[in-house]
Amino acid sequence: MIDLRSDTVTRPTEAMRRAMLEAPVGDDVFGEDPTVNRLEEYVADLLGKEAALYAPSGTMTNQIGVQVSTIRGDEVLLHEGSHIFVYEAGAPAMLSGVQLRTLPGDNGILDPETVRAAVRPEDVHFPRSRLLCLENTHNTAGGKVFSLEDFAAVAETARELGLKVHLDGARLFNAQAATGIPAREWCAHADTVSVCSSKGLGAPVGSLLAGDGETISEARRARKAFGGGMRQAGIIAAASLYAFENNTERLSEDHERARNLAAGLREAGYDAREPDTNLVLVAVDDPPEFLRALTREGVLATLGKPGFVRLCTNLDVDDRDIETAIEAATRIFATTPER
Ligand code: TLP
């Protein structure tokens, strides 16, 4: 099977497993795991923030990010296709008691005027607008990069209006690889940032939330409350450290394969969108049926935004796999009346 469902499906390499095997460990709830401490310092530094906190998943670091910048009853502004709104099981309401206000924007981009118009005036009737969440790259938009200029403009508008800014940077290093702009440049415009080591970077687990020292101390409490306090976590943190140290630059290979995949699919007759990074969206009439047909051909993909299938290149997929996937899709196109 050629697995293009996500960049989360990768398996740790021998070198990563060796780093895990050799990692010194301690009890991280006591702050005594040397590998977790090293990882947190490394990522804080990488992102230009004072501190960082290691957690099991991107969902948890996003939810801790929401928790530390809001109080119950607040309103959080975010794009209508954002992961926090679409794919996190209603957690902002469940865990932080906040209300989400979704906003439209092409390619996952929110513009300053849309945000300005959505911020509520002070009035007893209204929830308080407290936090803006941005996503880069943007998953449901097909891995689109939020340009630094546009990102800075909307984030600074939000801050002027008294909002905190959280960046869901699960794939922020894809934006770095696609543009050559260091990830920290985007982070400079956000109060909290979550990044994942278990997407394109190839670790089996692990995400970090970065911010100022005080915010990350609060985040540490929230992580405990959410059940994310781990003990000898160095054994998995070693994989994340290995991922950040070794696998950020090679993301451009995934991007090139995604471009080749999109070009091949277009040549076969599909409406495949040109990717900025590693996610290819293909518009089809019947996405579940197309997925079933691909599976029969030995290719796995997932549903994208409504009307689209998503194919995701990753560390475990090579050029030959991309060719095979294109050949499979070409056969389906030739034989399926409805696509
Ligand atoms: N995204 C997964 C699925 O949940 C859809 C995927 O396959 O793309 N932020 C963004 C932008 C993400 O894409 C994801 C994972 C997360 C956060 C959550 O990360 P995890 O899965 O570690 O909780």
Side-chain angles (χ1 to χ4, degrees):
M1 280 290 184
I2 296 168
D3 198 344
L4 300 172
R5 285 175 301 172
S6 185
D7 42 14
T8 60
V9 300
T10 57
R11 310 236 158 77
T13 57
E14 278 305 310
M16 184 179 276
R17 285 170 190 264
R18 206 169 319 115
M20 297 171 78
L21 186 69
E22 290 166 3
V25 297
D27 190 325
D28 182 47
V29 174
F30 288 108
E32 290 172 2
D33 189 296
T35 308
V36 172
N37 293 343
R38 229 180 102 204
L39 170 67
E40 291 180 344
E41 281 162 28
Y42 183 87
V43 170
D45 189 50
L46 194 61
L47 302 181
K49 295 292 186 197
E50 265 173 34
L53 176 78
Y54 180 58
S57 70
T59 300
M60 190 181 282
T61 47
N62 276 338
Q63 294 308 322
I64 296 172
V66 169
Q67 166 82 28
V68 294
S69 290
T70 56
I71 50 177
R72 292 178 78 77
D74 282 347
E75 190 163 70
V76 175
L77 307 184
L78 74 187
H79 187 270
E80 62 195 1
S82 62
H83 194 277
I84 292 175
F85 175 61
V86 179
Y87 290 120
E88 298 191 11
M94 198 190 287
L95 301 176
S96 297
V98 293
Q99 170 168 304
L100 298 184
R101 173 105 173 259
T102 59
L103 304 173
D106 291 344
N107 293 325
I109 309 299
L110 290 179
D111 67 63
E113 288 326 306
T114 306
V115 169
R116 190 182 292 281
V119 171
R120 315 263 189 180
E122 181 60 33
D123 182 303
V124 287
H125 294 87
F126 299 142
R128 288 201 167 104
S129 311
R130 189 83 69 176
L131 175 67
L132 172 69
C133 295
L134 302 172
E135 190 175 310
N136 191 20
T137 64
H138 199 276
N139 184 342
T140 59
K144 285 287 169 198
V145 174
F146 205 138
S147 83
L148 181 58
E149 201 186 358
D150 290 345
F151 188 92
V154 71
E156 292 319 315
T157 298
R159 284 164 142 189
E160 268 164 38
L161 295 166
L163 273 66
K164 295 270 191 197
V165 176
H166 171 74
L167 165 58
D168 176 351
R171 295 191 179 83
L172 186 59
F173 291 95
N174 292 87
Q176 172 178 290
T179 60
I181 299 170
R184 61 195 299 145
E185 301 268 328
W186 280 278
C187 301
H189 302 282
D191 298 283
T192 52
V193 182
S194 65
V195 289
C196 287
S197 58
S198 63
K199 308 282 173 311
L201 304 184
V205 65
S207 176
L208 289 103
L209 183 75
D212 67 42
E214 202 179 317
T215 304
I216 297 305
S217 297
E218 272 311 300
R220 214 167 276 284
R221 284 186 72 83
R223 182 185 67 176
K224 196 76 185 80
F226 292 174
M230 298 182 285
R231 302 298 178 169
Q232 287 70 34
I235 204 109
I236 46 176
S240 296
L241 187 58
Y242 182 93
F244 287 112
E245 283 178 339
N246 295 285
N247 289 347
T248 57
E249 280 179 18
R250 64 149 304 284
L251 288 170
S252 49
E253 293 173 30
D254 295 347
H255 299 174
E256 197 185 334
R257 290 195 179 104
R259 284 194 296 273
N260 292 343
L261 176 60
L265 292 173
R266 279 198 298 268
E267 209 165 298
Y270 290 96
D271 176 6
R273 303 291 153 91
E274 183 62 12
D276 283 356
T277 56
N278 66 333
L279 304 177
V280 178
L281 289 181
V282 187
V284 284
D285 291 340
D286 186 346
E289 179 46 38
F290 184 56
L291 285 183
R292 282 191 290 275
L294 278 175
T295 304
R296 284 193 294 272
E297 290 277 354
V299 178
L300 300 176
T302 55
L303 296 175
K305 63 182 178 183
F308 288 81
V309 160
R310 186 188 83 169
L311 300 104
C312 180
T313 56
N314 61 66
L315 192 57
D316 288 358
V317 167
D318 62 18
D319 291 335
R320 181 72 211 121
D321 293 330
I322 296 301
E323 280 168 36
T324 308
I326 293 168
E327 285 159 18
T330 305
R331 278 193 296 278
I332 295 167
F333 196 91
T335 55
T336 322
E338 231 211 319
R339 10 176 203 264

